[in-house]
Amino acid sequence: MKLFIDSADVSEVSALVKSGLGLIDGVTTNPSLIAQSGASIHERIKELCAVVEGPVSAEVTATSFDGMLEEGKALAAIAKNVAVKVPLTEEGLRCCHALSREGTAVNVTLCFSSAQALLAAKAGASFISPFVGRLDDIGHDGLQLIEEILDIYRAHDFATEVLVASVRHTGHVTAAARLGAHVATLPPKVFRALYKHPLTDRGLRAFLDDWEKTKQTIL
Ligand code: G3P
């Protein structure tokens, strides 16, 4: 399963890519994350595309088909590894179809049902982004949606990758991995938490304490 970082903070993404070499396969952003960063979207997407080799999702903010298409083309022109993110609306799926036919990778976002995911795959999306955390927040089961979408995509051999978004904790990541999701995009805090287990820390401390008593050195 691929792991993306859900952030527009270039120094944080860059630090994670350096320390987790080989573990980070891409980045996702959205208008809220770009707004939080305070950076210009063009600048920020360019910087992120230079930091990671894999896809960097950059989201359109127009809501009409023509507007989304124009913005999508402008975003795609920033770097070869941009994936244009469009919302799951009628216009968004039309735009997805048009951009995909031209060879641009499209990430269809704000997906909350398997019916929506079916349409996105038929529209040629490279990625579908179901938001698990926001579904959990309203008392639904976000991971159940991932399972349903994977069943549909497998049954019909769709090439669209399921990108698990709105991840809140490591349990979402491991459950998505067990289900066979293609990608999960993680806030930096959740990515760092994947390394952690209290027994690892405690075990290492004990090994090092015992080793010190031997007065040996390996080198
Ligand atoms: O980028 C889309 C998604 O990951 C947003 O997550 O935490 O705002 O629900 P969140």
Side-chain angles (χ1 to χ4, degrees):
M1 184 173 73
K2 286 175 256 188
L3 298 178
F4 290 0
I5 301 297
D6 197 29
S7 171
D9 181 334
V10 77
S11 42
E12 191 156 37
V13 171
S14 172
L16 287 173
V17 168
K18 277 184 197 137
S19 70
L21 215 56
L23 302 179
I24 292 162
D25 304 293
V27 169
T28 52
T29 66
N30 61 38
S32 305
L33 291 170
I34 294 285
Q36 259 171 42
S37 76
S40 112
I41 183 165
H42 287 269
E43 286 287 304
R44 188 41 50 95
I45 296 300
K46 195 173 169 189
E47 290 166 335
L48 290 167
C49 284
V51 166
V52 286
E53 281 178 26
V56 173
S57 290
E59 188 162 343
V60 299
T61 53
T63 51
S64 67
F65 168 72
D66 289 337
M68 278 192 239
L69 193 60
E70 202 179 347
E71 287 185 0
K73 286 181 180 177
L75 292 171
I78 295 174
K80 280 204 302 275
N81 52 334
V82 167
V84 174
K85 215 170 172 190
V86 300
L88 211 155
T89 58
E90 279 187 47
E91 292 78 4
L93 291 188
R94 261 182 81 198
C95 182
C96 170
H97 186 244
L99 288 171
S100 302
R101 279 165 69 110
E102 290 177 3
T104 300
V106 179
N107 177 358
V108 177
T109 189
L110 290 167
C111 170
F112 293 96
S113 79
S114 50
Q116 291 180 319
L118 171 62
L119 295 181
K122 287 185 66 71
S126 297
F127 301 102
I128 181 70
S129 291
F131 279 27
V132 291
R134 291 194 198 182
L135 279 170
D136 289 356
D137 290 347
I138 60 160
H140 290 230
D141 184 349
L143 289 166
Q144 171 70 36
L145 173 61
I146 301 303
E147 199 171 350
E148 284 173 25
I149 298 172
L150 285 167
D151 283 348
I152 292 170
Y153 283 11
R154 284 178 187 139
H156 299 280
D157 259 341
F158 285 123
T160 305
E161 295 189 32
V162 177
L163 192 168
V164 179
S166 185
V167 164
R168 300 272 193 263
H169 49 75
T170 58
H172 276 150
V173 185
T174 49
R178 287 186 71 179
L179 290 171
H182 307 86
V183 193
T185 187
L186 320 186
K189 197 175 85 175
V190 177
F191 181 81
R192 282 193 216 93
L194 289 177
Y195 287 102
K196 292 288 174 194
H197 195 286
L199 291 180
T200 304
D201 297 340
R202 201 191 305 168
L204 181 60
R205 188 67 268 147
F207 285 156
L208 294 180
D209 287 349
D210 289 343
W211 183 248
E212 214 176 305
K213 290 174 207 148
T214 71
K215 306 288 180 214
Q216 290 188 58
T217 56
I218 293 174
L219 295 177

